[in-house]
Amino acid sequence: LRFINTDASCYRAEKNSELEDLQNKVYTPLFLYCKKKYKLDFIVSYSIMPFEQSNYNSKIVEKIVKGLDNISLIAFYHIMSFTNSIIVSLNILDENINEQRAWEIINIEHNFNIRKWGNDIENEKKLLLKKKLFIDIINFKKIFKTSWS
């Protein structure tokens, strides 16, 4: 639950910027999914300063986490480590988005900066290794859920 007040998807670029537009297009459906399914209503900030989400959200997320089976809890923990976002992680865990889309979403700023400033080959190699691990974590849940069901 330590990510609830620092959820990466709740921090947006400067208002009316190209990146903020992109973030809104990508994150809004994820927020709406969490609101519809879990009644979560996260606050969005346009500042880098920390802020607190509602106690109501904290209680709901705690209930969700406590209700996870062991495999889902392990997957949730590791997905959270990559995404720094409860919202994105819940969408992945519920298979509302697939691993490829999830990867694009958690790298939205990185990809935006590449389009704007160019690519660094060494960094790209490291990113590909991280992507493989990220997809392996998501597949871990799928494989174990299938074999234990």
Side-chain angles (χ1 to χ4, degrees):
L1 293 178
R2 70 178 192 260
F3 287 116
I4 196 158
N5 292 320
T6 58
D7 190 301
S9 64
C10 293
Y11 287 87
R12 303 293 167 84
E14 183 179 329
K15 282 190 175 192
N16 301 316
S17 67
E18 186 181 348
L19 179 54
E20 188 244 354
D21 259 358
L22 188 57
Q23 289 170 323
N24 285 336
K25 287 176 188 166
V26 167
Y27 291 135
T28 298
L30 306 181
F31 275 68
L32 291 173
Y33 174 82
C34 286
K35 188 171 188 169
K36 183 178 179 182
K37 180 162 185 180
Y38 298 109
K39 309 291 187 249
L40 289 168
D41 196 14
F42 279 82
I43 300 166
V44 171
S45 176
Y46 294 89
S47 167
I48 59 169
M49 297 303 295
F51 65 98
E52 285 191 33
Q53 295 292 345
S54 72
N55 247 358
Y56 174 78
N57 279 348
S58 295
K59 288 177 184 175
I60 291 174
V61 171
E62 184 176 355
K63 184 178 176 182
I64 293 166
V65 170
K66 284 182 176 179
L68 295 175
D69 60 72
N70 290 339
I71 299 298
S72 296
L73 184 60
I74 291 167
F76 184 72
Y77 170 80
H78 289 289
I79 292 168
M80 283 285 300
S81 296
F82 267 92
T83 66
N84 296 316
S85 172
I86 291 169
I87 293 164
V88 174
S89 297
L90 288 173
N91 275 269
I92 294 168
L93 208 60
D94 291 347
E95 298 180 11
N96 186 47
I97 53 175
N98 66 29
E99 58 269 5
Q100 185 59 43
R101 182 68 179 139
W103 183 254
E104 292 167 6
I105 290 168
I106 65 173
N107 286 288
I108 189 171
E109 290 178 34
H110 175 77
N111 293 335
F112 177 82
N113 287 328
I114 285 174
R115 284 192 301 277
K116 190 168 185 167
W117 306 108
N119 197 4
D120 173 358
I121 299 301
E122 286 303 311
N123 188 43
E124 194 62 30
K125 289 178 186 176
K126 290 177 189 174
L127 200 60
L128 286 173
L129 289 173
K130 284 178 75 174
K131 180 179 181 180
K132 181 176 177 356
L133 180 58
F134 177 72
I135 291 172
D136 285 348
I137 290 166
I138 294 170
N139 287 333
F140 161 85
K141 179 196 173 270
K142 290 178 184 177
I143 290 166
F144 277 93
K145 282 298 237 184
T146 303
S147 65
W148 289 97
S149 297

